[in-house]
Amino acid sequence: MDYLCRNVDGETGCLHMLYGDWNDALDALGKTEDETKEFGTGVSVMASLQLYQNCSEICEILAHTGKYTEKIEQYKAVANGLTKGLHKYAVDTNDEGVRRIIHGWGDKMSYKIGSWLDPDGVTRTSSTANSFWAISGMLKNDPSLKETIMSAYKALDSKYGIMTFDKAFSKDMRKYVGRISQITAGTYENAGTYVHATMFAVMALFSMGESREAWRQFELGTVLSHPDCNKSPFAMPNSYFKSDEWCIDGQSFADWYTGSGTVFIKSLIKFGFGICPTLDGLTVQTAATMPCDNATLDIIVKGHPITLKYANEGNGARKYTVNGKEISADFDEMMKTGKLFVKTEDITDNMVIEVID
């Protein structure tokens, strides 16, 4: 945390790109022509939003454990700077007043990526900056940006789910974006569908209360829903490619499980079924809309095997029971679903939580 905080830009309050953006294969935004410096002042909006979320999480951990509590105010100050900086610099507005959350910018803000006007003259949209604007909680500071995020997802929608970018980078963009420009257009990160990035979008949609669209994107990103896709040895491919030029439709040249499979499972558990452990207990935030009438999840939470059961009985209103006893839940206006909280000391072996519509 301290390393990241030391690399927050003094002018914009956002996090320097440094080595590169792992999720989108952009590594040129962190470069500089100044030979006396290792990195420039280029920024990844996604990474800045992740740091914003991390600041909130580390403050909660420190308050919970009672250790290093003197650092809480420091991290809160960084989060406050990120909030101001991201709203000022990461939201790009065109001549018609339409806003866009950009992917990032180069050294000394000399150019923008994923903006209304990228260096190649292209208007381009990226997914991860939009996704983490919602996932990190930044959206709560200005809920009106939900419309901006949903507009971005509409532009990024595809046969296989939300793409990383709606338009590919050509090879002559290497100076500005780096490695991604050398990847065949329509594959991997370069305007392909990267499953873990799609799942970040799914998380964001659930977080914004758009559960019906979240499930649709979840299904598009699921290999079993596409009979003509090739399956990797890990069952879940990390990406899907679609390129008319190369006659590619659903193939993935190489796969690894770490991104696609784990984020797929996390999306299903934390935002679909809604099992979300906290430091003090368990929050149940089952999606407002479920894709089936009955679903069951057996899982271990804080060392206790528990079961969550969902049933749609057509009641018109949702109710919650814990071991047969009905319990009220708080309604989350952003997620458009109820949140049931169970304290750690109340979680027991074989506890059954029922969510009934």
Side-chain angles (χ1 to χ4, degrees), residues 139-201:
L139 184 60
K140 295 177 182 178
N141 297 306
D142 182 2
S144 69
L145 277 167
K146 176 182 174 179
E147 182 180 347
T148 299
I149 297 171
M150 294 303 293
S151 178
Y153 286 158
K154 185 176 180 180
L156 293 158
D157 193 15
S158 77
K159 180 178 179 180
Y160 301 106
I162 299 292
M163 298 186 293
T164 51
F165 288 93
D166 63 333
K167 299 182 182 71
F169 296 98
S170 61
K171 292 187 181 297
D172 56 8
M173 279 285 284
R174 185 166 192 168
K175 172 185 177 182
Y176 301 102
V177 294
R179 182 171 69 87
I180 191 172
S181 63
Q182 306 307 296
I183 299 170
T184 300
T187 72
Y188 295 105
E189 299 95 334
N190 198 14
T193 301
Y194 232 48
V195 176
H196 54 258
T198 299
M199 290 300 146
F200 290 149

Side-chain angles (χ1 to χ4, degrees), residues 291-309:
C292 53
D293 288 334
N294 292 278
T296 301
L297 174 67
D298 294 313
I299 192 169
I300 294 175
V301 176
K302 297 181 182 288
H304 299 284
I306 71 168
T307 297
L308 185 140
K309 294 181 178 181

